[in-house]
Amino acid sequence: MELYYSFSILIVLSAIFAYINARFLKLPATIGIMLIALMVSIGLFATNNIFPHTFDRLSRLLNDFDFADILMGAMLNFLLFAGAIHINMSDLKEQRIPVVVFSTVSVIISTFFVGILSYYALHWLGFDVPMIQCLVFGALISPTDPVAVLGILKQAGVPKSLETKVAGESLFNDGVAVVVFVTLLQVAQGKEVDLSFGSVSLLLAKEALGGLAIGLLLGFLGSRMMKRIDNYKVDVLITLAIVMGGYLIVHSLHMSGPLAMVAAGLVVGNYGRTKAMSEVSKDYLDKFWELIDEILNALLFLIIGFELLVIPDLTLYWKIGMLCIGIVLAARFFSIWIPSKIIPFRSNKFDRKTITILVWGGLRGGVSIALALSIDDGLNKNLFLAITYFIVLFSILVQGLTISRLTSTRELRRSVDT
């Protein structure tokens, strides 16, 4: 009942904030809900002496939620599957080289760039933090967040080829980022870890390739089951089983759940849609997963807005937070620019304007916060959590609200699509 009580409160708040946004602010739904939650959080801070019980109850409610476990173990699977079923495989295949490079090489470049620069920035401001902890921070902040990216790109008017690059990268880079993060975190914890190229490659292959293989298999089996019947209710249940049962399988095998959900969604959204579903099933499936996507996005961004209430001493870290916003943007630029100059992308054109949009559209969100929350308290958790929160707020509120302006000119659209 306690979980139901907490979930009910969050749903009610999401509905109220979504209404206020749709009625008055008219911002993209996710950004509007998060902004209102953030304003409410600031208001509760300011009136803590007047309404102490309200502040304490909401803080306890958020503390009762294991945000890292709820996002990484449950919500993200639904959101990634819902996003992947709407990705056209032919578009993704056309952009496969940049998607693969940006979701692997770029993540590693960004990890070390952020880690090294944040180390010197922290020491400049008087924080005595070891290099390995800064590299852990680099790993958790480097992946672009698929939830934030997919939710905002829908309304940004981004050219199709560029949308596929950014969305494809954000869907696939979690596998690499989590492996790098976990490996560096174990080193920071003092555990003996084999950091040889072969060992790390084997771990990456098991996590990423294993997750993709399981996801492809589940998507194909589910599509074959749907092909043998003509019942939209059962079709929807099968997709739910793929997401929920599939995660249990890959989790027990220690493989990448996010990548499994992406692969399964791509198969169901392409092979299943064209070969196995009637028009009625397609319509119901699209509407069902669109609703799931909207509801979970609303909840996720509501929680991100309210996380301000549970991050201790946030105001102590605003200077390093502002510095790290610049560091992360610079890392994003070099992690895109370096591969674009070294690797032959054939028909893909990466001029200054395209790179600018790729950099500005690389949003950070709940995934980075969830990873920051999983850091041990003894590894400067509060410091890195606060920095991450500043970066995520800037990413969603500033980058998310202005990305559409970068693609608003006809000249830029021609430049990106050529």
Side-chain angles (χ1 to χ4, degrees):
M1 286 301 295
E2 189 66 30
L3 179 61
Y4 176 78
Y5 170 78
S6 302
F7 188 72
S8 298
I9 291 176
L10 293 177
I11 285 289
V12 170
L13 290 174
S14 297
I16 294 171
F17 292 175
Y19 172 80
I20 293 172
N21 177 64
R23 181 73 174 80
F24 302 105
L25 300 182
K26 303 186 186 303
L27 296 172
T30 51
I31 296 179
I33 290 171
M34 193 191 83
L35 181 60
I36 296 170
L38 186 63
M39 292 300 102
V40 170
S41 299
I42 294 172
L44 288 174
F45 266 121
T47 60
N48 187 22
N49 294 329
I50 304 173
F51 306 108
H53 295 300
T54 303
F55 180 89
D56 291 340
R57 286 174 181 172
L58 191 52
S59 297
R60 283 199 302 270
L61 172 67
L62 294 169
N63 278 314
D64 289 341
F65 268 81
D66 187 341
F67 182 66
D69 190 48
I70 289 173
L71 175 59
M72 302 300 291
M75 293 176 70
L76 192 59
N77 300 311
F78 288 91
L79 290 165
L80 289 175
F81 183 87
I85 61 174
H86 295 109
I87 297 289
N88 189 293
M89 190 72 84
S90 60
D91 292 339
L92 187 61
K93 186 177 179 181
E94 185 178 339
Q95 304 296 334
R96 64 187 181 280
I97 297 177
V99 166
V100 170
V101 171
F102 294 156
S103 61
T104 54
V105 177
S106 294
V107 169
I108 295 172
I109 292 174
S110 178
T111 295
F112 284 92
F113 189 100
V114 171
I116 293 170
L117 263 65
S118 63
Y119 170 80
Y120 289 107
L122 283 162
H123 279 258
W124 180 57
L125 290 175
F127 295 96
D128 186 16
V129 180
M131 174 66 80
I132 184 61
Q133 293 182 19
C134 294
L135 291 174
V136 170
F137 168 66
L140 71 89
I141 204 65
S142 290
T144 55
D145 188 288
V147 179
V149 170
L150 292 172
I152 291 170
L153 284 185
K154 288 177 185 177
Q155 302 178 24
V158 176
K160 190 63 180 177
S161 62
L162 191 54
E163 180 183 348
T164 303
K165 289 186 184 76
V166 179
E169 174 202 357
S170 68
L171 286 170
F172 284 102
N173 64 13
D174 288 314
V176 176
V178 170
V179 170
V180 175
F181 171 78
V182 170
T183 302
L184 291 172
L185 182 60
Q186 289 177 344
V187 175
Q189 292 168 336
K191 298 179 181 178
E192 293 187 7
V193 180
D194 185 358
L195 294 176
S196 65
F197 179 78
S199 176
V200 174
S201 298
L202 183 62
L203 179 62
L204 181 61
K206 179 186 176 183
E207 281 268 347
L209 298 181
L212 287 171
I214 295 294
L216 291 172
L217 178 62
L218 289 172
F220 179 74
L221 289 176
S223 297
R224 294 293 295 178
M225 291 172 66
M226 287 185 275
K227 187 175 182 179
R228 296 177 180 275
I229 59 172
D230 184 15
N231 188 316
Y232 70 87
K233 299 175 185 176
V234 179
D235 289 345
V236 170
L237 277 174
I238 289 173
T239 58
L240 277 174
I242 290 172
V243 174
M244 302 177 79
Y247 176 74
L248 295 177
I249 294 172
V250 294
H251 182 69
S252 65
L253 296 174
H254 303 288
M255 295 176 180
S256 174
L259 288 178
M261 293 305 104
V262 171
L266 286 172
V267 173
V268 172
N270 289 269
Y271 172 78
R273 187 186 298 274
T274 57
K275 303 290 185 180
M277 298 182 202
S278 66
E279 291 301 319
V280 174
S281 289
K282 292 178 189 177
D283 184 49
Y284 274 96
L285 203 68
D286 285 343
K287 290 177 179 176
F288 174 82
W289 282 104
E290 184 179 352
L291 280 173
I292 292 290
D293 187 46
E294 291 294 328
I295 292 169
L296 291 183
N297 261 303
L299 282 172
L300 174 59
F301 281 82
L302 176 82
I303 295 172
I304 291 175
F306 279 137
E307 281 293 309
L308 178 67
L309 298 175
V310 297
I311 299 177
D313 303 321
L314 184 65
T315 55
L316 296 177
Y317 306 117
W318 71 270
K319 290 182 181 178
I320 186 61
M322 296 300 104
L323 264 178
C324 284
I325 289 173
I327 289 172
V328 169
L329 285 173
R332 174 68 177 171
F333 170 77
F334 283 107
S335 68
I336 297 294
W337 181 76
I338 292 173
S340 72
K341 296 300 180 183
I342 297 175
I343 301 172
F345 284 112
R346 297 181 183 176
S347 61
N348 291 283
K349 183 179 179 181
F350 288 89
D351 58 12
R352 179 177 57 84
K353 294 177 180 177
T354 302
I355 292 176
T356 299
I357 298 177
L358 286 170
V359 171
W360 203 245
L363 307 180
R364 272 68 177 182
V367 171
S368 291
I369 293 178
L371 293 177
L373 284 167
S374 68
I375 297 175
D376 301 345
D377 291 333
L379 300 178
N380 291 293
K381 174 180 178 177
N382 290 341
L383 167 64
F384 291 119
L385 180 58
I387 296 172
T388 301
Y389 196 70
F390 280 114
I391 294 169
V392 168
L393 287 184
F394 179 87
S395 178
I396 295 173
L397 294 179
V398 178
Q399 293 174 240
L401 285 174
T402 57
I403 183 66
S404 59
R405 298 181 184 178
L406 296 177
T407 61
S408 60
T409 65
R410 188 180 305 171
E411 183 180 329
L412 176 57
R413 291 175 180 274
R414 283 202 302 266
S415 171
V416 172
D417 286 328
T418 55

